[in-house]
Amino acid sequence: MSEPAATGEAAPDRQPVLELRNVSTHYGLVSVLRNVDMAIYPGEMVCLLGGNASGKTTTLKTILGYVMPSEGEVILDGEVVSGLDTVECVRRGVSMVPENRRLFANMTVMENLELGAYLRKDKEGIAKDLEEVLETFPRVRERLKQKAGTLSGGEQQMVAMGRALMASPKVLLMDEPSMGLAPVLVDQVFEIIKTIRELGRTVFVVEQNANMALSIADRGYVIQTGEVVLADTAANLLANPLMREAYLGEL
């Protein structure tokens, strides 16, 4: 596999809001990430692509403090956050839409949304963000008193995204947002992600649906067995014949 291509469309004076510098992560003696370098700039949507067991979810866990890097640093808004626990990472501005939504099924939609803001004290800001979420997801407004577990898969994904946005994150992480959804809903979910990005949010999305993710992203990284093997603009990655090699035929 060739060396990663340059990611640079970023101007030299721009500073990443999230950066991984030479990050390696182990589970015991098993090396999962090796010398990973990534940068996400304010207002961008960046996707991380790869097959099963490639290191995608471990990358998210490392950013969120679920696991600590054995080497390298995770930097959020100019400050090193690797070594901090997950609560502190969220407090500093990282929020995630987890794989399979993971809502509290027996709680109402409103209660799930309120949990997203549990670390915040700014009541006016919380109210403003709640209204923005409900404007972005009109269907959610109609379901506020309904138990989250009774919603459709697409509606649950909207609530999960809304809950993450209620934390007012500097970076919104998404782990396989299309997983488990009927094909007819996948297009809808990616339209929602595009809408979130158009609100000015910075989004870092992990996906196996490469074509769909790259169609709405600015840039992308391809990870294989814990190493970044391709990094480029979304348009260039879509046109790159090495994508098939990177996916071992999965693309």
Side-chain angles (χ1 to χ4, degrees), residues 119-174:
L119 289 176
R120 299 176 62 182
K121 305 298 183 186
D122 56 322
K123 292 184 179 180
E124 290 185 5
I126 292 171
K128 180 180 178 182
D129 286 343
L130 176 61
E131 185 57 32
E132 182 178 69
V133 166
L134 298 181
E135 287 181 4
T136 304
F137 308 120
R139 185 69 61 84
V140 173
R141 190 191 294 274
E142 299 171 3
R143 303 287 193 269
L144 287 177
K145 296 181 181 180
Q146 194 169 328
K147 287 190 175 181
T150 66
L151 303 181
S152 70
E155 290 168 343
Q156 288 188 20
Q157 188 64 275
M158 293 178 196
V159 176
M161 291 180 184
R163 181 180 61 185
L165 288 170
M166 287 299 296
S168 191
K170 296 174 182 175
V171 181
L172 180 63
L173 310 179
M174 295 186 182

Side-chain angles (χ1 to χ4, degrees), residues 221-234:
Y221 294 88
V222 179
I223 191 168
Q224 182 181 348
T225 59
E227 296 183 78
V228 174
V229 293
L230 289 172
D232 212 329
T233 65

Side-chain angles (χ1 to χ4, degrees), residues 38 46-50 55-56 59 204-207 220-223:
M38 295 181 186
V46 177
C47 58
L48 177 62
L49 309 171
K56 301 190 307 297
T59 300
F204 183 48
V205 57
V206 162
E207 253 296 335
Y221 294 88
V222 179
I223 191 168

Side-chain angles (χ1 to χ4, degrees), residues 6-120:
T7 61
E9 283 201 333
D13 58 341
R14 292 183 69 200
Q15 297 298 316
V17 66
L18 177 66
E19 191 174 6
L20 278 68
R21 293 181 183 171
N22 198 38
V23 167
S24 296
T25 298
H26 290 72
Y27 293 141
L29 297 177
V30 179
S31 175
V32 182
L33 298 180
R34 289 184 288 278
N35 307 118
V36 170
D37 289 302
M38 295 181 186
I40 295 94
Y41 292 83
E44 278 194 313
M45 179 180 166
V46 177
C47 58
L48 177 62
L49 309 171
N52 291 329
S54 60
K56 301 190 307 297
T57 297
T58 298
T59 300
L60 294 182
K61 288 181 176 180
T62 302
I63 293 169
L64 274 168
Y66 287 143
V67 296
M68 304 301 174
S70 46
E71 296 178 7
E73 295 177 327
V74 179
I75 298 168
L76 177 67
D77 206 16
E79 296 185 350
V80 176
V81 294
S82 42
L84 300 180
D85 63 27
T86 301
V87 172
E88 186 59 30
C89 289
V90 173
R91 193 190 308 276
R92 293 188 182 213
V94 181
S95 186
M96 186 166 83
V97 181
E99 181 184 323
N100 293 324
R101 282 82 70 188
R102 297 186 186 177
L103 300 178
F104 292 92
N106 291 322
M107 297 174 67
T108 67
V109 168
M110 185 64 180
E111 288 168 337
N112 273 273
L113 293 175
E114 289 172 341
L115 282 173
Y118 79 102
L119 289 176
R120 299 176 62 182

